[in-house]
Amino acid sequence: MAAALELADLSVVYGGSNEALDGVSLSVPQGGFVALLGTNGAGKSTTLKAISGLLRFENGSVRRGSIRYMGQDIGAMPSYRRARLGILHVREGRCVFPTMTVEENLEAALFARGRRGPAVARRTYDEIFHYFPPLRERRQSSAGYLSGGEQQMLAIGRALFAQPELLMVDEASLGLAPKIAAEIFTILRQINEERGLSILVVEQNVALALRRADYGYVLEAGRIVEEGSAESLTNRESLSKRYLGGGESAH
Ligand SMILES: Nc1ncnc2c1ncn2[C@@H]1O[C@H](COP(=O)(O)OP(=O)(O)OP(=O)(O)O)[C@@H](O)[C@H]1O
Ligand SMILES: [Mg+2]
């Protein structure tokens, strides 16, 4: 399958400190579902921010390497133009607008695709509510009153409203009960299959992500240390000891 996204040798430095990313190469096939895994501080969010172009605003700088989307080098492109190409980033911590209603939060996404957004890129509410039924019941509620799971649904639904072609979700399951976290991943898989959009998720719950993704990369201290199909990673001993709870009884 042709690549939607290709990172080659990407390196990022924040301020004067060490490299947060040190030569990261990865790709997301068109219509693929890829997981970027790793513990705290590994560089997962930094990778997504470099892809969506947010680093320019966050005191970070891409020092080396390239970011290609659908064959085009987008490394110098500002983030709003990347969003117009369909690269949408659901940031860590969800970031819904708490005093706006669910509907208003969804509408806000249309700005992401630019002035042509409402005409070309609009998803109907029904399409969003098909994937996230709890949002239908809460459509007139302030987003700040939603549960954590519902807020995550809203954050993803909002990105979906702008009709992404590459959807990136940072820490989809963070702080959610296991059942809700599993549900979010099931829905992401469903969206990926039914809409054919490419997905790149960042996740610390390795077992959960590998149950739904096709392919995974493991990031440690800014470098990719393992990669492979979800099935092969799940069975890989090096991973099972460190991330999947295996081998702990040996102590
Ligand atoms: N704005 C910043 N300024 C300086 N250093 C930063 C900044 N953001 C991140 N870092 C550093 O870069 C490294 C990678 O951070 P990043 O947030 O990408 O990790 P992460 O894998 O997303 O971690 P987590 O699982 O905790 O979200 C860390 O060492 C972090 O301290
Ligand atoms: Mg992070």
Side-chain angles (χ1 to χ4, degrees):
M1 224 184 304
L5 177 77
E6 276 179 296
L7 301 189
D9 193 30
L10 196 71
S11 293
V12 169
V13 175
Y14 288 106
S17 56
N18 292 337
E19 286 178 314
L21 294 186
D22 181 9
V24 167
S25 299
L26 62 80
S27 73
V28 178
Q30 282 177 41
F33 189 151
V34 173
L36 182 59
L37 311 164
T39 50
N40 288 121
K44 307 179 299 297
S45 298
T46 298
T47 306
L48 294 197
K49 287 175 188 170
I51 296 166
S52 63
L54 286 175
L55 272 175
R56 302 156 60 96
F57 304 108
E58 300 209 7
N59 195 29
S61 63
V62 178
R63 187 195 255 187
R64 200 175 74 228
S66 68
I67 307 172
R68 299 183 76 80
Y69 179 66
M70 302 304 284
Q72 184 184 4
D73 190 334
I74 60 166
M77 213 182 248
S79 61
Y80 76 91
R81 284 191 50 212
R82 300 186 203 193
R84 285 179 191 185
L85 289 178
I87 302 174
L88 290 206
H89 180 183
V90 179
R91 299 181 64 184
E92 202 172 350
R94 320 205 238 279
C95 311
V96 297
F97 303 113
T99 59
M100 286 163 58
T101 66
V102 164
E103 280 188 357
E104 287 165 347
N105 267 274
L106 293 174
E107 290 282 343
L110 296 178
F111 291 102
R113 295 301 297 266
R115 244 175 271 127
R116 293 181 310 138
V120 248
R122 183 173 188 140
R123 286 280 186 224
T124 66
Y125 288 121
D126 279 346
E127 284 175 282
I128 306 303
F129 297 149
H130 160 72
Y131 292 112
F132 302 108
L135 296 183
R136 186 190 297 279
E137 292 148 36
R138 312 296 305 276
R139 60 196 291 171
Q140 303 296 345
S141 306
S142 297
Y145 292 126
L146 301 179
S147 70
E150 288 165 348
Q151 287 190 9
Q152 186 61 281
M153 290 180 187
L154 179 56
I156 297 170
R158 186 172 62 188
L160 205 58
F161 208 62
Q163 200 170 331
E165 278 152 41
L166 171 65
L167 176 65
M168 302 196 292
V169 186
D170 197 347
E171 307 275 12
S173 80
L174 194 69
L176 303 182
K179 187 166 165 280
I180 308 292
E183 204 177 307
I184 298 269
F185 267 84
T186 303
I187 295 167
L188 284 174
R189 181 78 222 192
Q190 194 189 352
I191 292 168
N192 165 249
E193 286 175 0
E194 292 180 5
R195 300 280 165 203
L197 56 84
S198 316
I199 295 188
L200 176 60
V201 290
V202 152
E203 187 52 57
Q204 288 197 42
N205 185 336
V206 171
L208 174 62
L210 292 181
R211 259 205 309 278
R212 295 297 173 201
D214 307 315
Y215 200 90
Y217 293 88
V218 181
L219 200 54
E220 270 178 29
R223 293 174 190 214
I224 303 284
V225 293
E226 305 257 7
E227 69 173 280
S229 68
E231 194 187 353
S232 79
L233 286 178
T234 305
N235 297 320
R236 210 169 286 181
E237 205 179 326
S238 50
L239 231 77
S240 95
K241 284 210 182 85
R242 302 194 58 173
Y243 296 100
L244 297 168
E248 278 169 5
S249 56
H251 295 287

